[in-house]
Amino acid sequence: MKQVGIFGKRKSGKSALMYALTRQKIIQDAAFRAMEISGVTRVMLVDTVGVDVENSTAEQSAQSVKVALMLITDDSFELELAWISKLRKAGSSIIVVVSQADKFADGGKALAAAIKEVSGMEALCVSSQTGAGVVELDEEINRRLAKG
Ligand SMILES: Nc1nc2c(ncn2[C@@H]2O[C@H](COP(=O)(O)OP(=O)(O)OP(=O)(O)O)[C@@H](O)[C@H]2O)c(=O)[nH]1
Ligand SMILES: [Mg+2]
């Protein structure tokens, strides 16, 4: 089964995002069943411990995920960028997420712009609390899973 890993520092909202995505999937799968469409892709969502934890077991997960979500919650994201290189070397497709986006007055746009400036990567702003960006993230995950 294809694995989607959720990475980020301690308390960056990894587990909350996993539940938000799972809820989304359950709703979607129910819709699919109602329409009798078969072949829904099943994936395993993998929650991980913080990348800022010493001897993080996230290292092991990094080796096996097809798609990796890297959560960023503030403008000190050097560690996250280092992990992105590591995940890329291991062959994962990386989606950068501005997590807990509801905490920002601008919905995380300025942080996403800062990430883009430093890394060239487009970040998706997501809030597990309000649900903002969850559908978009789910769609992006599915696009990445469909590739190769
Ligand atoms: N405002 C807001 N708070 C959030 C959001 N997501 C998570 N939180 C809160 O942030 C805290 C940490 O969330 P978790 O999902 O447990 O974060 P985690 O990365 O799994 O944390 P660890 O497993 O301990 O590393 C909790 O108090 C959550 O309620 C969000 O989208 N918005
Ligand atoms: Mg957690």
Side-chain angles (χ1 to χ4, degrees):
M1 201 183 315
K2 288 174 183 171
Q3 293 186 14
V4 178
I6 307 178
F7 300 86
K9 285 182 188 141
R10 273 171 289 184
K11 304 297 165 202
S12 57
K14 300 179 294 295
S15 299
L17 185 60
M18 186 174 84
Y19 288 115
L21 285 168
T22 308
R23 273 198 301 275
Q24 170 69 15
K25 264 277 154 291
I26 290 165
I27 293 164
Q28 268 194 5
D29 282 359
F32 275 123
R33 271 198 298 276
M35 292 188 287
E36 292 181 37
I37 293 171
S38 57
V40 176
T41 316
R42 304 248 165 228
V43 298
M44 187 191 284
L45 274 171
V46 183
D47 197 357
T48 64
V49 296
V51 293
D52 52 346
V53 174
E54 224 178 318
N55 300 317
S56 174
T57 51
E59 290 276 1
Q60 280 128 49
S61 306
Q63 301 307 313
S64 53
V65 299
K66 174 153 175 70
V67 177
L69 312 184
M70 179 53 75
L71 276 51
I72 296 177
T73 50
D74 57 52
D75 52 15
S76 64
F77 48 81
E78 298 82 8
L79 183 63
E80 288 86 342
L81 294 183
W83 271 79
I84 285 170
S85 319
K86 203 164 10 183
L87 286 157
R88 200 173 269 142
K89 280 193 194 115
S92 304
S93 178
I94 295 125
I95 302 173
V96 182
V97 174
V98 170
S99 180
Q100 309 184 350
D102 60 283
K103 287 186 174 173
F104 301 94
D106 69 349
K109 282 198 186 125
L111 180 52
I115 293 166
K116 167 111 190 191
E117 196 174 301
V118 175
S119 70
M121 298 182 81
E122 298 276 357
L124 285 174
C125 299
V126 179
S127 166
S128 303
Q129 190 154 300
T130 67
V134 175
V135 171
E136 290 80 358
L137 176 59
D138 186 63
E139 286 169 357
E140 185 60 25
I141 292 169
N142 283 310
R143 270 195 291 276
R144 303 295 184 98
L145 285 170
K147 277 192 213 157

